Amino acid sequence: PPVNVDIAGVTQADVPIYLQGLGTVQAFYTVTVTARVDGELEKVGFVEGQTVHKGDVLAQIDPRPTRAAFEQAVATKAKDAAQLANAKRDFDRYTLLEPQNLASKQTVDTQRAMVDQLTAQLQVDQAQIDSTRTQLDYTRITSPIDGRTGIRLVDPGNIVHAADTTGIVVVTQVQPIAIVFTLPEEALEAVVSALAAGPVNVTTTTRSGGAALDQGTLQLIDNQITSATGTLKLKAIFGNPRNALWPGQFVNARVL
């Protein structure tokens, strides 16, 4: 069949020169949210795939056992405070009676030691209150970062433990997001020179080399070359406003 031929006028223009490497998208932050106290998981406060903000409640552990321990610590401090007040009154009395030889020096010293002991005990009680209050706060699990929740890993009604490593949910920050990619070691000098001159733009495309997904900035060059492959590892940061990049995705990264 006839072969189509296109023609165009000759023009002078700049031809972009870039380095291209295969990269993997990584979440800017990834947090496995786990329980810090043991107890029954009463409820889950998020929907899988939901965007959450730092401080949002993700789960609630039954707080009743920890609240009881906290109230007990508060009551213990009140009891010891009453004993300290009484010990101080006795010490004041013995101090007044000692010059009249109505109280021995040993009695005064013993009472002074009792006051010091109870004063120290109040500090122990306060530390116990602070500890149990912290444990009580841990029953309310909040998101440590802004991000997106993944698949729920534990259902309400299960007993969770502080020693569990599976977690309740994984939260990933995808705005901004990072891409780690590689270039041949021969590109080191060119990339270092470009970074020294100012910010270096990085454009990502799909593996097939289609339209650009997002544009970001080169953040760093890894501190060593991978000797097995003779490649540099680089990291770039992208705003990802359209969520075109997703953790675990393979993309092409072009350093302009």
Side-chain angles (χ1 to χ4, degrees):
V3 178
N4 294 327
V5 178
D6 295 329
I7 61 173
V10 177
T11 59
Q12 184 176 359
D14 294 334
V15 178
I17 299 175
Y18 56 81
L19 302 170
Q20 178 169 297
L22 178 62
T24 305
V25 181
Q26 294 182 352
F28 197 75
Y29 291 121
T30 300
V31 179
T32 301
V33 179
T34 59
R36 302 183 69 173
V37 293
D38 299 347
E40 179 186 353
L41 186 63
E42 281 190 338
K43 64 179 180 180
V44 172
F46 65 92
V47 177
E48 294 171 315
Q50 174 186 349
T51 298
V52 296
H53 302 284
K54 183 177 181 179
D56 288 351
V57 178
L58 300 181
Q60 176 68 56
I61 297 174
D62 184 4
R64 291 174 296 178
T66 310
R67 184 179 295 117
F70 172 73
E71 293 173 353
Q72 182 180 1
V74 172
T76 299
K77 182 182 179 181
K79 180 192 69 173
D80 292 339
Q83 292 179 348
L84 174 61
N86 184 62
K88 285 182 176 179
R89 287 192 294 269
D90 288 344
F91 175 69
D92 292 339
R93 294 189 191 101
Y94 294 147
T95 302
L96 292 174
L97 294 174
E98 184 183 13
Q100 306 172 26
N101 294 324
L102 298 177
S104 66
K105 187 176 186 304
Q106 179 181 2
T107 301
V108 175
D109 292 342
T110 300
Q111 194 61 32
R112 181 185 292 110
M114 178 62 69
V115 171
D116 294 341
Q117 177 183 344
L118 290 173
T119 301
Q121 183 60 46
L122 280 185
Q123 295 176 347
V124 173
D125 294 341
Q126 184 59 51
Q128 184 64 30
I129 290 174
D130 294 341
S131 176
T132 52
R133 182 187 288 115
T134 301
Q135 297 297 308
L136 184 59
D137 291 341
Y138 285 162
T139 62
R140 185 173 177 268
I141 301 174
T142 59
S143 177
I145 61 171
D146 295 341
R148 183 182 291 267
T149 60
I151 297 173
R152 185 178 66 250
L153 303 176
V154 180
D155 296 328
N158 285 282
I159 303 298
V160 293
H161 304 86
D164 293 342
T165 57
T166 303
I168 297 172
V169 68
V170 177
V171 180
T172 56
Q173 183 175 351
V174 295
Q175 291 178 337
I177 204 166
I179 292 180
V180 175
F181 62 99
T182 58
L183 291 175
E185 61 181 340
E186 291 79 10
L188 175 62
E189 183 178 355
V191 176
V192 170
S193 299
L195 280 173
V200 177
N201 293 329
V202 180
T203 302
T204 59
T205 64
T206 60
R207 290 285 304 277
S208 60
L213 298 175
D214 199 358
Q215 188 171 26
T217 304
L218 184 64
Q219 186 181 42
L220 62 92
I221 306 172
D222 196 14
N223 57 5
Q224 60 183 348
I225 295 174
T226 305
S227 58
T229 58
T231 55
L232 298 169
K233 187 179 291 184
L234 304 96
K235 184 176 184 179
I237 303 299
F238 298 81
N240 199 28
R242 298 180 293 107
N243 288 328
L245 302 173
W246 212 249
Q249 179 182 5
F250 286 105
V251 294
N252 287 329
R254 292 178 178 176
V255 181
L256 303 178

